[in-house]
Amino acid sequence: MISVVLPAGGQGKRMKSSQNKQYLMLNEEPILSHTWRVFARLTCVFIKEIILVVADGEQQFCEDEVVKPYISEKHPEVKVISGGKERQHSVFEGLKLVSEEVEMVVIHDGARPLVSEDVIYQTIGVASESKSAISAVPVKDTIKMINKNSNTVEKTLSRDQLVYVQTPQVFDKELIIKAYENAFKKRMIGTDDSYLVEMLGHNVDVVQGDYQNIKITTPEDLIVAKEILKERGS
Ligand code: CTP
Ligand code: MG
């Protein structure tokens, strides 16, 4: 069985909006509703539950405005819980509630509303073999490492080895819980889940992601997301 953890407990500071970015409207619906709906509609019978991790005090709002409009009878179990200070704390709160019988966990940012079913299923497929898979796309720009003090280039990284890492990221349940426990024990904070798995020395497979699966982070991203939805005809 599979559990889905959707971290949506951030504050959206880089969006510079008075409202939490998850609830900003994207085609007349909150961003998080789009993300929720993709997972709520998955027909995969192995999905046991979806755990939405939201900011403190936003649970009721999320249940009423995001979950209820798309809940169906054959739907897996839904848990809406409150998160923590950093994304890593929020995901960990979600992992603590994963049911006993679950073998695999799908982690996906609430702020990535344009994820496709295809990418989700492909990432699950690879992780079911290797225990750990992330979706990613090749970088388009040249990326350089710089010295922030002197504002000079340290080195130019080889582009054909670089990817933009996205979510979903899918892991064997025992492995991801062990990775999170290890990270907290060693006081490590990573910006994605697979980093914590890498820190255990475990291999992480990379699955072809989708350039349209952007994370809504700054105001420009919302403009791009609206255009993508327009092109999709929705
Ligand atoms: N997230 C979370 N709990 C946190 C911080 C982030 O669940 N304490 C979630 C966000 O809600 C988002 C995802 O992790 O869906 C990716 O994080 P990010 O894009 O950084 O969102 P925010 O932290 O909300 O934005 P910002 O960093 O600009 O404040
Ligand atoms: Mg953040």
Side-chain angles (χ1 to χ4, degrees):
M1 296 300 278
I2 298 170
S3 178
V4 175
V5 175
L6 301 175
Q11 297 300 324
K13 291 193 197 100
R14 286 169 288 176
M15 188 55 86
K16 296 193 166 59
S17 157
S18 55
Q19 193 185 12
N20 188 343
K21 71 175 179 184
Q22 320 277 341
Y23 303 107
L24 291 176
M25 299 305 255
L26 174 58
N27 280 12
E28 291 157 26
E29 275 182 327
I31 289 171
L32 187 58
S33 296
H34 290 261
T35 315
W36 159 250
R37 199 175 50 227
V38 174
F39 287 91
R41 286 185 174 169
L42 287 181
T43 50
C44 173
V45 293
F46 298 112
I47 296 184
K48 150 97 183 130
E49 63 199 355
I50 302 179
I51 304 171
L52 263 156
V53 191
V54 300
D56 228 8
E58 289 179 357
Q59 274 159 277
Q60 194 58 51
F61 181 80
C62 181
E63 287 198 23
D64 294 342
E65 302 299 320
V66 174
V67 174
K68 282 192 187 139
Y70 299 106
I71 202 132
S72 80
E73 271 171 31
K74 53 177 185 190
H75 201 271
E77 205 182 312
V78 182
K79 298 171 184 168
V80 182
I81 61 163
S82 69
K85 190 165 170 282
E86 306 286 340
R87 182 186 183 280
Q88 190 169 314
H89 300 98
S90 294
V91 173
F92 197 40
E93 290 308 307
L95 291 175
K96 287 179 196 163
L97 289 189
V98 167
S99 299
E100 190 76 39
E101 65 266 46
V102 163
E103 292 114 27
M104 225 182 342
V105 183
V106 175
I107 303 173
H108 180 75
D109 291 328
R112 289 186 192 269
L114 303 176
V115 64
S116 68
E117 286 194 11
D118 261 14
V119 168
I120 298 168
Y121 285 136
Q122 275 163 26
T123 316
I124 290 174
V126 173
S128 65
E129 298 288 322
S130 69
K131 296 194 171 185
S132 166
I134 62 174
S135 58
V137 286
V139 301
K140 297 180 185 182
D141 303 306
T142 296
I143 299 191
K144 294 181 194 261
M145 192 180 287
I146 62 162
N147 179 322
K148 278 186 122 176
N149 294 325
S150 59
N151 237 344
T152 53
V153 172
E154 294 264 316
K155 73 174 176 185
T156 300
L157 302 166
S158 158
R159 203 167 58 191
D160 64 350
Q161 281 182 290
L162 295 172
V163 291
Y164 295 119
V165 171
Q166 305 179 324
T167 66
Q169 303 199 351
V170 185
F171 308 96
D172 170 83
K173 181 183 79 178
E174 312 292 330
L175 176 64
I176 192 68
I177 290 177
K178 192 170 161 204
Y180 265 78
E181 285 172 351
N182 178 58
F184 282 111
K185 202 165 80 196
K186 296 191 176 143
R187 297 174 189 273
M188 289 187 312
I189 291 278
T191 51
D192 81 328
D193 311 292
S194 67
Y195 174 71
L196 308 183
V197 170
E198 291 157 41
M199 288 300 110
L200 287 181
H202 198 284
N203 167 67
V204 177
D205 279 324
V206 181
V207 176
Q208 179 69 45
D210 178 0
Y211 283 113
Q212 292 194 353
N213 182 18
I214 58 171
K215 181 161 69 67
I216 311 287
T217 309
T218 55
E220 306 72 54
D221 299 324
L222 210 45
I223 301 171
V224 176
K226 283 179 185 160
E227 284 303 312
I228 291 172
L229 284 176
K230 207 189 283 177
E231 197 223 45
R232 289 182 184 178
S234 50

